[in-house]
Amino acid sequence: MTSFLTHRARVHDAGLPPYRRHSALRTCLTEFAPYGLRATYHHLTLSARLPQRLEADPESLVRAVEELHEARQLWLARLREYQAQRRAEKRAGRRAPSTTAWWDQPWWSSPDLAWAQNPFLHPQLSLTDYVRRRNALMDGAELPGCPACGEEGPVVRLSTAPHRAGLCRSCARVLVPCPCGRGHTFEPERRVGWSRTWRREHMTRTGEPNPHWPAHLGTARIERLVMYESPHPPFC
């Protein structure tokens, strides 16, 4: 398997056609995607202004992969520290980790699961700011607002019949789990297919957000999420 850095170099290679550089960016996302693959890709299309026609601005691919690379470097540095900490704990006879790494939480028990179901709900932070925030919280820092995005506004209450759960009004992270003790997921009634996101239908040909795309509804989109029972343990 080729490495992240190999495909990053291909994204930078101006001698390759834009579609191949775009494919290399996708492979980079399979190696590192802090919001999940689809949500991270959607974030990069907005932050790097990837147009529908990549030929109009092939350098947008470079902007995208460099944001991803910078965030990955921060994550790798913290990962190495965490691995050294775990080795020391195991030598001391402590098999269970004293701190759970934010990147190790199973997707099915993550309070950020809504991003996988609806990739337009990821935080509005840059990837580097997001990784810095999660690393700081993992290190014991006390930061205000939602752990994922920092939103300090009131939560959005969604019915779990007969109870309610509270979701971040900005990124849909579950902040107040349902008191019933069962697992829940929150998903849109109608999903937008990955192919439409991959074709960047939410962007214009010049790299601006498509004003006619219905995905950008903010809190209103979160209020329209629907609860489904999950066979997995509840969020913690």
Side-chain angles (χ1 to χ4, degrees), residues 11-56:
V11 175
H12 277 265
D13 188 350
L16 294 175
Y19 78 90
R20 288 192 57 190
R21 298 169 71 183
H22 186 230
S23 294
L25 173 63
R26 179 176 61 177
T27 302
C28 288
L29 286 167
T30 65
E31 297 292 322
F32 179 68
Y35 294 156
L37 190 145
R38 294 195 301 161
T40 304
Y41 176 76
H42 177 261
H43 165 82
L44 291 174
T45 63
L46 296 175
S47 65
R49 305 186 304 281
L50 266 67
Q52 282 192 24
R53 290 186 65 258
L54 293 172
E55 295 80 2

Side-chain angles (χ1 to χ4, degrees), residues 38 116-118 187-193 196 221 228:
R38 294 195 301 161
Q117 310 295 348
N118 191 334
E187 306 176 14
E189 288 184 300
R190 297 181 62 184
R191 299 188 187 185
V192 176
R196 297 186 67 189
R221 189 173 185 86
Y228 291 90

Side-chain angles (χ1 to χ4, degrees), residues 110-154:
S110 170
D112 307 324
L113 183 58
W115 308 345
Q117 310 295 348
N118 191 334
F120 310 107
L121 293 178
H122 56 78
Q124 301 305 304
L125 301 175
S126 70
L127 297 182
T128 51
D129 286 344
Y130 174 75
V131 172
R132 286 192 187 100
R133 182 175 184 83
R134 297 307 302 271
N135 284 347
L137 289 169
M138 181 176 162
D139 291 337
E142 295 184 5
L143 303 179
C146 170
C149 69
E151 170 63 48
E152 297 184 53

Side-chain angles (χ1 to χ4, degrees), residues 92-226:
R94 297 194 299 272
R95 307 303 298 178
S98 58
T99 303
T100 302
W102 58 267
W103 57 82
D104 276 344
Q105 188 162 19
W107 67 268
W108 45 260
S109 64
S110 170
D112 307 324
L113 183 58
W115 308 345
Q117 310 295 348
N118 191 334
F120 310 107
L121 293 178
H122 56 78
Q124 301 305 304
L125 301 175
S126 70
L127 297 182
T128 51
D129 286 344
Y130 174 75
V131 172
R132 286 192 187 100
R133 182 175 184 83
R134 297 307 302 271
N135 284 347
L137 289 169
M138 181 176 162
D139 291 337
E142 295 184 5
L143 303 179
C146 170
C149 69
E151 170 63 48
E152 297 184 53
V155 299
V156 175
R157 297 283 180 175
L158 294 183
S159 173
T160 57
H163 303 287
R164 287 182 176 272
L167 276 63
C168 174
R169 64 187 307 102
S170 178
C171 73
R173 180 185 173 92
V174 177
L175 300 178
V176 183
C178 176
C180 71
R182 300 192 304 270
H184 303 296
T185 63
F186 297 92
E187 306 176 14
E189 288 184 300
R190 297 181 62 184
R191 299 188 187 185
V192 176
W194 166 239
S195 61
R196 297 186 67 189
T197 307
W198 180 244
R199 293 195 300 267
R200 297 169 305 288
E201 292 183 16
H202 56 282
M203 304 296 287
T204 65
R205 289 175 173 265
T206 57
E208 300 298 326
N210 184 347
H212 305 294
W213 182 256
H216 305 288
L217 299 176
T219 300
R221 189 173 185 86
I222 297 172
E223 292 171 343
R224 298 178 187 181
L225 294 176
V226 177

